[in-house]
Amino acid sequence: GINAEYGKQWYQRRVRGVLNYYTNYYYKSNLRMVLRTESPDAAACVEKDLNGYVGFANLPNQVFRKSVKRGFEFTLMVVGATGLGKSTLINSLFLSSIYEDERYPNGSSTKLPQTVKVQNSTVYLVEGGVSLKLTLVDTPGFGDAINNTKCWKPILEYIDNKFEEYLNAEGHVNRSTVVDNRVHCCLYFISPGHGLKPLDIEFMKQLHEKVNIVPVIGKADTLTPEECAEFKANVMEEIERNDIKIYQFPVEEFDDEEEVQDLQAQLPFAVVGSNTMLDINGKKLRGRMYPWGIAEVENPDHCDFIFLRNLLIRTHMQDLKDVTNNQLYENYRCQKLAAVTSVSLDSKLAASNRNPLAQFEMEKKEHQARLKNMRLAWRKLWKRKLRRR
């Protein structure tokens, strides 16, 4: 028994020694340490081999663990006329009944709102141990009224208010609990046709500096492949002609440049949504059944749903958040701070250029006006007490 236990311990020590040897050899041969020494002429970089495993190669794992523990937040706004399949598409994107049918109990007979209302709902999704707080911002009533003049104003105010809330939260003493409710992406649904409507152009012009706009063609199954390709070309031509800034894909930051270029070439995304699971030859899939065939949601030959899902969830969700924080929000923040600074500078400049006697007279008049208002307030209070007696 003693010999067996000793042999077991010796074997374990031997295995650990072999593993340590190969681990040190691997990191010694693969890791490089860069030492930067400053010289009067230029900075010289000298690379040296590491003598062993240091450990900073584990930093990505540390960031990953903290991110998974904290969870992720994403705010998605959907804008478009009623009947373009916005709710159905959201359900198809996240494979969940986020928008229930009870919201529209009477179907097409439900009375449409005459004014644009911004409604947001939050759902918590978990996949593979990663939690996502998804906030969906809906805009029922957009484009449904007879007069759609400035119907985008409530949407623009909502985005600005979220920027303002984040800016105020950054000024608090404790900034570790700042909640990011800023809109990271806006899916703008375009009605199938021959081109953009004036409302589409004006809406994107008003919001392209506030939010990442991703144009989407709703109900794409109503177009033939030739009509869809022609419509896409017309939409992109009008977007470029009107200097509308839609979301740009950062090609240089991703390893698979071909995949990013394929996504860019699909704009605007022609999508089909469906909450119905069909059984086709023993295979279950989401799609729409028609007398002439089936429009499959996840078939890239039928629509661009796969490309849109990859953009929003699998490849560019973090980049959408980075662009919102580093570009769109920073532009808003600079404008707000510049406005406050200019107002304070103007008031100081006007006070410094004013004649001291004129300044004294102005302050005297302001003081007399305050005294007069105080006398009137006391008289009203005295009369009120007399009436009660």
Side-chain angles (χ1 to χ4, degrees):
I2 297 176
N3 293 333
E5 184 66 24
Y6 177 77
K8 182 179 179 181
Q9 294 177 0
W10 178 87
Y11 177 75
Q12 291 176 350
R13 288 196 301 269
R14 184 66 176 170
V15 170
R16 284 197 298 268
V18 172
L19 290 177
N20 291 335
Y21 171 78
Y22 281 106
T23 301
N24 292 334
Y25 175 79
Y26 172 79
Y27 281 104
K28 183 177 179 180
S29 59
N30 288 279
L31 292 180
R32 308 285 290 177
M33 180 171 62
V34 178
L35 300 178
R36 184 176 297 274
T37 58
E38 298 291 341
S39 62
D41 299 331
C45 294
V46 181
E47 292 187 357
K48 293 186 177 181
D49 293 333
L50 295 178
N51 295 324
Y53 173 60
V54 177
F56 56 81
N58 198 40
L59 283 174
N61 296 331
Q62 299 178 30
V63 176
F64 173 78
R65 288 195 298 269
K66 290 185 66 176
S67 300
V68 170
K69 185 177 180 180
R70 184 170 56 247
F72 299 89
E73 300 172 342
F74 190 74
T75 301
L76 178 64
M77 173 181 281
V78 287
V79 182
T82 303
L84 290 179
K86 301 188 296 295
S87 305
T88 306
L89 179 66
I90 295 300
N91 291 341
S92 302
L93 279 174
F94 295 96
L95 298 178
S96 177
S97 299
I98 297 175
Y99 285 113
E100 300 289 348
D101 295 336
E102 286 76 6
R103 291 187 57 185
Y104 312 100
N106 298 326
S108 59
S109 62
T110 305
K111 184 178 179 180
L112 299 178
Q114 297 300 316
T115 57
V116 180
K117 296 181 180 179
V118 180
Q119 301 175 351
N120 61 336
S121 57
T122 302
V123 293
Y124 293 87
L125 306 176
V126 179
E127 181 185 29
V130 179
S131 60
L132 173 66
K133 177 187 175 183
L134 176 66
T135 303
L136 295 172
V137 183
D138 197 2
T139 56
F142 178 83
D144 296 332
I146 298 176
N147 184 7
N148 292 308
T149 304
K150 295 185 178 181
C151 62
W152 57 81
K153 190 175 181 181
I155 302 173
L156 185 61
E157 291 178 351
Y158 179 87
I159 296 175
D160 284 340
N161 289 338
K162 296 305 175 183
F163 278 159
E164 186 69 23
E165 290 178 4
Y166 195 85
L167 180 61
N168 295 334
E170 282 189 327
H172 295 168
V173 176
N174 184 11
R175 297 189 300 174
S176 60
T177 58
V178 176
V179 180
D180 186 9
N181 289 324
R182 297 169 295 181
V183 180
H184 302 117
C185 180
C186 173
L187 295 182
Y188 184 71
F189 282 73
I190 304 170
S191 301
H194 300 286
L196 293 176
K197 299 177 181 178
L199 177 60
D200 302 330
I201 297 174
E202 192 61 31
F203 172 84
M204 288 190 281
K205 276 187 174 181
Q206 293 291 331
L207 270 75
H208 66 165
E209 294 184 352
K210 302 286 186 178
V211 68
N212 296 306
I213 298 178
V214 177
V216 175
I217 301 174
K219 301 285 187 180
D221 50 346
T222 61
L223 301 172
T224 63
E226 294 77 12
E227 292 174 343
C228 186
E230 182 180 359
F231 184 48
K232 282 186 173 184
N234 294 338
V235 169
M236 293 305 297
E237 181 181 353
E238 293 186 26
I239 287 176
E240 294 179 1
R241 188 191 313 137
N242 291 277
D243 295 328
I244 298 173
K245 302 173 186 176
I246 60 175
Y247 175 68
Q248 298 295 324
F249 298 88
V251 180
E252 65 280 356
E253 296 183 6
F254 290 87
D255 297 333
D256 194 351
E257 295 185 2
E258 294 183 359
E259 181 180 357
V260 177
Q261 292 174 356
D262 291 340
L263 286 175
Q264 186 79 33
Q266 299 298 328
L267 287 173
F269 297 105
V271 296
V272 177
S274 176
N275 295 329
T276 305
M277 299 297 295
L278 303 176
D279 190 353
I280 307 299
N281 298 327
K283 181 181 179 181
K284 292 193 175 293
L285 50 87
R286 286 177 179 256
R288 290 183 175 274
M289 180 78 72
Y290 294 103
W292 54 86
I294 300 173
E296 300 179 17
V297 173
E298 298 184 0
N299 190 338
D301 296 330
H302 293 182
C303 68
D304 300 331
F305 174 82
I306 291 292
F307 300 103
L308 178 62
R309 185 176 65 183
N310 291 341
L311 163 71
L312 289 178
I313 304 174
R314 298 183 179 179
T315 58
H316 289 74
M317 177 180 283
Q318 186 59 44
D319 185 70
L320 287 166
K321 297 176 66 176
D322 292 341
V323 172
T324 301
N325 183 69
N326 300 332
Q327 297 182 19
L328 304 175
Y329 170 70
E330 284 299 319
N331 293 337
Y332 173 84
R333 179 175 174 272
C334 290
Q335 292 174 2
K336 294 289 288 186
L337 296 180
V340 173
T341 306
S342 62
V343 170
S344 60
L345 288 176
D346 292 342
S347 60
K348 290 180 180 179
L349 182 62
S352 61
N353 294 334
R354 192 176 298 135
N355 189 352
L357 294 177
Q359 178 74 16
F360 177 75
E361 290 295 332
M362 183 179 295
E363 293 178 356
K364 181 180 178 181
K365 290 179 180 179
E366 292 177 355
H367 181 67
Q368 290 176 352
R370 286 196 297 269
L371 290 176
K372 185 177 180 180
N373 293 333
M374 291 175 62
R375 291 194 194 98
L376 293 176
W378 277 106
R379 286 179 183 174
K380 290 181 180 179
L381 181 61
W382 181 254
K383 289 180 180 179
R384 196 180 303 119
K385 288 185 177 180
L386 289 177
R387 289 197 193 105
R388 289 178 181 176
R389 293 180 180 179

